[in-house]
Structure formats: C-alpha cells, structure tokens
Amino acid sequence: MMDKILSNYSASISEFKKSPTKILNNAKGESVAILNHNTPYGYFVPSALYEQFINLADDYLLGQEVEKRANSKNKTIPVSLDAL
C-alpha cells in the first residue's frame, strides 16, 4: 500500500540535503513532501502557508469554544448597556 502524498512537489531526503534552495524555488511557494524510501516522511511548508494553517486552527478552536458556551446550561446574567 502506498501512502498518499499531499503535495504537488516532492523530493527525497537526499535530494533535499543536496540542494534545498533549488527544490524550494521549484516549488514556487508551495509545500514540498520530503520522501524517505518513496514514503512521505514530512512536509516542508513555507512560513506564509504555515501561518495560514495556524490561523485556521485557531479559528476552528475558537468556534468550538463559542459553540460549547452557546450550548452550555449556565445561566445568563442580563446586563443593560448603561451598566457597561
């Protein structure tokens, strides 16, 4: 069974060690699958893409917390805008 490669670009660990700049330039800002014996070992992800992943994860977790609190059985406390 072959593992799915979740990237349009890939390189062996040996290739990546020899010329990382060349491989990253060829990927044009996209992720690169690093292969070990033709199996994905890891992914090199550009910093801008990593930042997007982190922001998506933060948004997802925040949404989970909002949903949890909206569905909680805790009593709400009415507050007038003047009291704020």
Side-chain angles (χ1 to χ4, degrees):
M1 181 174 112
M2 295 198 60
D3 291 332
K4 185 185 265 188
I5 297 174
L6 303 173
S7 179
N8 292 326
Y9 300 93
S10 64
S12 70
I13 290 176
S14 301
E15 290 175 309
F16 195 73
K17 282 181 187 178
K18 283 183 203 173
S19 186
T21 303
K22 179 181 175 185
I23 289 168
L24 296 176
N25 286 340
N26 288 341
K28 298 179 179 105
E30 292 190 39
S31 63
V32 178
I34 306 301
L35 306 177
N36 186 21
H37 301 288
N38 293 323
T39 301
Y41 184 74
Y43 291 89
F44 184 90
V45 181
S47 59
L49 187 54
Y50 182 77
E51 187 176 338
Q52 287 178 334
F53 289 157
I54 294 300
N55 287 336
L56 284 171
D58 285 345
D59 290 348
Y60 174 79
L61 292 173
L62 181 59
Q64 293 287 312
E65 186 63 28
V66 167
E67 190 172 317
K68 180 176 128 186
R69 290 183 186 188
N71 294 328
S72 75
K73 302 293 182 194
N74 293 338
K75 292 184 179 181
T76 58
I77 302 170
V79 178
S80 71
L81 290 176
D82 293 332
L84 297 175

